[in-house]
Every structure is written in structure tokens, then in C-alpha cells.
Amino acid sequence: MAQREITVETNGQGLYEITGQINEFLLRRTHGPRLFVAFVKHTSCSLIIQENADPDVKADLQEFFSRIAPEGMDWLRHTAEGPDDMPAHIKAALMQPSVSIPVAEGRLQLGTWQGIYLFEHRSQPHSRTVVLHLTH
């Protein structure tokens, strides 16, 4: 088993690919089949596996989620941290704080066009902590 935390600096809402950082973590740590898990320690961002070839996919995903949980919903009660906070919590509730991926021969068993992303739902820059965990 191995575990490490990484920090992902965001510049506001968007998808930030972390596949490279995960591959660095896996380097020299894998012999035989393993299971990799990533977990984000925050409630206003998510982790997703998504296409990493066409940047339009990222833009369309961000647009979709901004439409289903937009800022400015006047019925929200949780507003003390700004107008983007509760919509960020809603988006995070619709997605997951973690991803699990099989590892074989030292490599994540992702598809050809798949990458792992931190999906930042807040408008302001944040430092996000992601726990990387590799098990047998």
C-alpha cells in the first residue's frame, strides 16, 4: 500500500487534469494488479473521469452544470460564503468525491481518451487536497 496527498491549485470553476500527477505517484510503486483510489477532501469540488482529447468536452460539461445549479438562486439559505458556494455544493452532490481505477503493469487502466480531473465548482481560486491511495 502507498498513500500521498497532492495539492491542486485552481483558478476558479473548471476541470483540472491530474492524471500526470497520479502517474508520477504510481511510478515504481506497482508490481502486479492493484487498485488506485483518489479522494478529494472538499465539499465544493469533485473528481471525475472524462475525455481528455477535445477541450470542448470540458467547456460543455462546465456549461451544463452551471445551468442546472446556477448562481443567483434566490431561495438558497446557505449564502454566507458567497453566491457560488451553495451551487458548488449542489454540483458536488451530483458527482463524486472519489474515483477508483484498476492498475496493471504500473499503469492506470484508463481508456484511450480518458483522464482524471478535479472539477472545481467555486468561482474563486482554491487549493484542493486530493488523497492518492494504492492498494493490493
Side-chain angles (χ1 to χ4, degrees), residues 35-39 47 49 98-103 108 110 116 133:
L35 180 64
F36 169 77
V37 177
F39 175 79
L47 292 177
I49 296 172
S98 65
V99 295
S100 300
I101 304 155
V103 175
L108 294 168
L110 293 170
I116 304 166
H133 184 84

Side-chain angles (χ1 to χ4, degrees), residues 23-123:
N23 284 330
E24 288 176 22
F25 167 73
L26 293 175
L27 195 63
R28 297 183 308 275
R29 286 192 171 90
T30 54
H31 303 290
R34 302 276 192 256
L35 180 64
F36 169 77
V37 177
F39 175 79
V40 64
K41 296 171 73 171
H42 305 277
T43 59
S44 55
C45 61
S46 307
L47 292 177
I48 64 170
I49 296 172
Q50 197 46 253
E51 179 176 329
N52 64 358
D54 185 348
D56 287 344
V57 172
K58 295 187 330 184
D60 289 345
L61 280 170
Q62 190 170 336
E63 179 68 22
F64 171 78
F65 282 101
S66 71
R67 289 179 184 214
I68 62 172
E71 292 182 28
M73 295 181 284
D74 61 358
W75 53 270
L76 294 175
R77 292 179 184 89
H78 179 72
T79 59
E81 295 180 55
D84 67 327
D85 190 42
M86 193 59 216
H89 289 299
I90 293 168
K91 293 169 193 172
L94 295 172
M95 293 182 239
Q96 296 296 315
S98 65
V99 295
S100 300
I101 304 155
V103 175
E105 299 177 17
R107 298 179 51 113
L108 294 168
Q109 295 301 290
L110 293 170
T112 302
W113 307 114
Q114 289 181 319
I116 304 166
Y117 291 87
L118 181 134
F119 197 163
E120 176 63 69
H121 304 307
R122 297 293 307 268
S123 296

